[in-house]
Amino acid sequence: MLARMSSDFRRVISGFLRLRGCVFFCLSLLPLTMGAQQISRLSLPDSPGYVLAQASAQQAAVAAGTGNISGTVLDINEGLVLGAKVTLVELGTVDAPPRQRTVLDSDAEGNFLFPDLSGGRYQITITSPGLETFISPEINLKPGEHRELPRIALPVTANISVQVTVTQAQIAQEEVQMLEKQRILGVIPNFYTSYLWDAAPLPTRQKFTLALHSILDPAIFAVTAIAAGAEQATDTFPEYGQGFKGYASRYGADYGDEFNNRMFSSAIYPTIFHQDPRYFYRGTGSKRQRFLYAISRAVITRGDNGKDQPNYSRILGSLTAGAISNTYHEGRDRGSTLVLRNGIIAIAGHAADNLLREFFFKAISTDVPQNQRGKPVVSKP
């Protein structure tokens, strides 16, 4: 009995040894059919075989030099920056100066990638129109390392300059638009008083535009209607008669005088003589200085060159309007003497109007810009 048990035990031990030999033999054939990577997957994580396989894989990557540098370019608001120029520079040593490796554009999502880099010292520069240039710190890339840079936000450049060219005509147009808002008591036009002392000269187009807007303003029709009614009530120039016909004749004559005087004095002759038809509010100095300045503007005006000169436009405009009035006025309301008289009256009336502009109209006019206060006071050193 004991002898048979001893024989069976020896057979089990012998079978186990033969099985172990087969296992070792099969394992010795694995390198012929599988890579080191696959062996490591079959090995236990803590086994010596796994550690050796991992070290072997790292050494293979180092030997191949498959490192890379990647990143993403954004603007300061986290918006994508498409097509940013990304330059990779390989920093040199004492014996070898820096050299540019490559330049590429960021993709549709702002990403960039520099593949197949050997270990060494690198630096990245990123440029994009309208954004500040980014220069990275030195990047020490180890052999086989895959370096992903932090997200790069480019602020808007602080030295963007925008050059805007505005012509004198454009400035004058804006000033005319402001003039056309000025009204005495919010009703009667005060278009020809400039409270801006250094206003731009009016080109021809603005001179005619301002004249037409002035003479076609509803308030002028209303004032003319009141004047014609007063003439009819006092039977001024009885040749016109009474009734609707007499009133219409007086109204037409008065409006015609106003129209001709405005067009010739403020548009036609100022264009011919290159003069400014506006009254430039002074506002500074003594009352006597302002008084003399206001009445002198009836015969003195500012040229388009900014210098004072005789007011040919106003004088000739008044005489021309008086001469034309002879073609439609009736009876005693016409003649060469009347032309001269009306011309003188028109000039005197302009002087009186200037006094009102200088001393009263500014206080009762609407939409006068607060920063327009007339002639600046020049302080003496």
Side-chain angles (χ1 to χ4, degrees), residues 9-86:
F9 180 76
R10 285 196 298 272
R11 285 198 298 270
V12 170
I13 294 301
S14 176
F16 176 76
L17 293 175
R18 286 197 297 272
L19 177 62
R20 187 183 65 175
C22 290
V23 170
F24 282 119
F25 176 77
C26 291
L27 288 177
S28 67
L29 295 178
L30 281 177
L32 300 178
T33 58
M34 303 175 60
Q37 184 77 12
Q38 293 171 300
I39 295 175
S40 65
R41 291 176 183 174
L42 296 175
S43 303
L44 295 176
D46 297 327
S47 67
Y50 176 82
V51 175
L52 291 175
Q54 190 76 355
S56 177
Q58 292 179 355
Q59 291 176 358
V62 171
T66 57
N68 61 55
I69 298 176
S70 63
T72 303
V73 184
L74 305 171
D75 62 22
I76 197 67
N77 297 317
E78 296 293 316
L80 298 179
V81 179
L82 308 181
K85 297 294 182 183
V86 187

Side-chain angles (χ1 to χ4, degrees), residues 147-195:
R147 176 75 64 88
E148 182 177 357
L149 302 180
R151 294 163 73 89
I152 301 168
L154 303 180
V156 177
T157 182
N159 59 354
I160 293 179
S161 61
V162 179
Q163 183 175 0
V164 179
T165 302
V166 181
T167 64
Q168 285 278 55
Q170 291 172 324
I171 296 175
Q173 178 63 30
E174 292 183 1
E175 292 172 354
V176 166
Q177 291 174 351
M178 288 189 291
L179 289 175
E180 291 175 343
K181 297 178 181 178
Q182 297 175 176
R183 292 181 179 273
I184 300 169
L185 300 176
V187 178
I188 302 173
N190 188 18
F191 299 166
Y192 278 92
T193 304
S194 175
Y195 297 98

Side-chain angles (χ1 to χ4, degrees), residues 113-172:
L113 172 66
F114 293 99
D116 303 325
L117 300 178
S118 59
R121 299 165 52 243
Y122 297 94
Q123 190 171 56
I124 286 179
T125 301
I126 303 176
T127 59
S128 182
L131 301 176
E132 290 188 6
T133 299
F134 170 82
I135 301 177
S136 72
E138 180 180 313
I139 302 171
N140 291 306
L141 187 70
K142 298 178 180 178
E145 180 184 2
H146 303 283
R147 176 75 64 88
E148 182 177 357
L149 302 180
R151 294 163 73 89
I152 301 168
L154 303 180
V156 177
T157 182
N159 59 354
I160 293 179
S161 61
V162 179
Q163 183 175 0
V164 179
T165 302
V166 181
T167 64
Q168 285 278 55
Q170 291 172 324
I171 296 175

